[in-house]
Amino acid sequence: MCARLGAATGLNSVVVVVLILSTIIPPCLISGVPIADAVGALLTHIDSPLKVTFLVDCWSDEQRLNLGKIVLRRHLWQFVPRDDHLRTWRTVLDDDRTSHQTLVIVDLKCNATGRFLREAEQRLYLNFRWLLVDTEALEVPDLAVASQMERYLGVLQPCPVLLSSEVFLMVTEPEQAILFTQVYRVSRDTALRVEDYARWSTTQMEDLRTEKVTSVRRKNLYGHQLRASMVITNPDTIHHLTDYKDKHIDTITKVNYLLTNCLASYLGASVSYSRVSTWGYYNATTRLWDGMIGELVHDTADLGASPLFLTADRTAVIQYLAMTSATRSKFIFRSPKLSYTENVFLLPFDNDVWACVMAVITFSSVLLLIALWGEWRLAGPNAPAIDPATLTPSFRDALLMTYGASCQQGSSVLPRNCSARLITLLTFIVLMFLYASYSASIVALLQSPSTKIRTLEDLLASRLKFGVHDTVFNRYYFTHANEPTRRAIYERKVARPDGGPAAFLELEQGIDRIRQGLYAFHVEQGVGYKVISETYQEDEKCGLQEIQYLQVVDPYYAIQKNSSFEEHIKIGLFRLNEHGIQYRENAKLYTKKPRCSGGGGKFVPVSLVDVEPAVWIILWGAGLAMGFFLLEYLYHRVWATGCHRMARDSRRERCPW
């Protein structure tokens, strides 16, 4: 029930005030003290839109109505029925959807009030405010303040009135003055502490608080020892938590170990650390959490000193507070050459330019054919003998010559007249500029990296090989991936369908494969870039790309669910961020992506992959030529043989056709 209440309302809710009021004599005046006016002044001083619930089964109906009219004129209020009050009280509190705005009033003189307070548990320091009034003590004239406090503390001694509680006590002072105090303890095994809240007299309410915000006022934990759990995957890490050595090993733990120590110093506390080897995952067989989450769930740790990813199943058992380490795990790879993803022989020109080139070749061929046709027609019967080097009016020959001009290959035949030669000359000039532009673009494209791989789908479809840094969380998230693309990456690229060993590698091995190219390695960014910065040449740092695989945000600092330290730790973490301490530690331990200072990289020699389309053209051309040769051979062989046989049978000198 308590867990459900904490999950529904959260740790930011205000604690319910339990007000203990008198029942024997009218609640307006007790020993001459106007209690109703004092309670009304307290509600105004709290300055919250409170709903008041009376858990006073020993009051008469007239007393309840009088107090409701006098005290609660501007607040909602309700009285809980008398019968089976313990069960009813718990039900009312747990079903209250506005618990952070609710004030509950209880009288110590009523039966079983002490038992109810002991059974309240988390309700005493979560969501509700509590005010205790001992009407039996108020009936005694001039009862000393120390005696009244002793009665209150005796009732609250076994109760978990923890750091975030808002428990008020009403103490009478001389001259009809009422002192409102608050009581709390740092932990369940420490003594109760009392702090003055306000003093009410018949004329005014005096604020006695040093700070208005409770969590700021109680930020000093008086040396209390906080229990912190941290994840260490390398045993040697324990010896290098503060010396910034081997920054790429257990980096996230080292950063937050320093931040946790600063947090404890801010809160005036000490820290004891426990070590685990995993962040913690749910075991469906045992139905238990292991690792760091298991220690938080089973109350063996207060803080999770190694931040972890926010997932839906974890939000029900732990409390996330703040992002303290801006790091993510991604696939890092060197951009492959453009020829690995594109046909570079088609990229120099846009589609419209290619269409214009085809149009120029066709138009030039047609225009040249017209000029040749006119030349031979005008010559008539006086035409000189055909020179083998003279271009004849054939569309096939004209098209072949124009296409040769586009490749800057020249021609073995030329036209005779001036108009046709002028057309040929202009065609060569125009296509020369196109050829020069095309060749220059090809040279540039062969040295350019590809930017086509931008998503996980592109990465999956690429020819890159895959590897994953062998860590606990990588093995868990890759093997439990359900999204189709991520599942396919694990099954086809990491786990390998051929039955080979899964591609979980050591850090240095994976980074070295990135260096060799055509390899994507999944690793924590800061860790991977640290090794890259130290081992790569300057030109090898160019063209590094990254694609996120895990569907998570930056890791969060976590604590126990429904912890009384929540607001104090949250404020402390925010202060560390505001003062730059968090940025400093992250900057010293995490390495950013190295800058490309090698002038765009060194010259990359042309490989067979770069000229693959041209090789395919040669192979297809050779195949087609061989095919046509065989067809021609068979044609002449078969038909020539048949022709000679028919000519011999008919006693002719040659074939009739």
Side-chain angles (χ1 to χ4, degrees), residues 17 19-21 27 39 43 51-57 59 63-69 71-72 75-81 89 92 102-107:
V17 182
L19 176 59
I20 304 176
L21 296 177
V39 173
L43 294 177
K51 179 184 73 176
V52 181
T53 299
F54 295 91
L55 300 180
V56 283
D57 63 320
W59 285 14
Q63 289 172 328
R64 300 177 188 179
L65 183 59
N66 289 337
L67 186 62
K69 289 181 179 179
V71 179
L72 307 175
H75 303 282
L76 297 175
W77 58 280
Q78 64 175 342
F79 283 90
V80 177
W89 286 356
V92 169
T102 301
L103 168 72
V104 182
I105 301 178
V106 179
D107 187 353

Side-chain angles (χ1 to χ4, degrees), residues 257-267 273 576 581 585:
Y257 174 81
L258 298 171
L259 294 180
T260 302
N261 289 339
C262 293
L263 174 66
S265 177
Y266 168 77
L267 296 176
Y273 290 93
L576 293 178
I581 298 176
E585 298 303 337

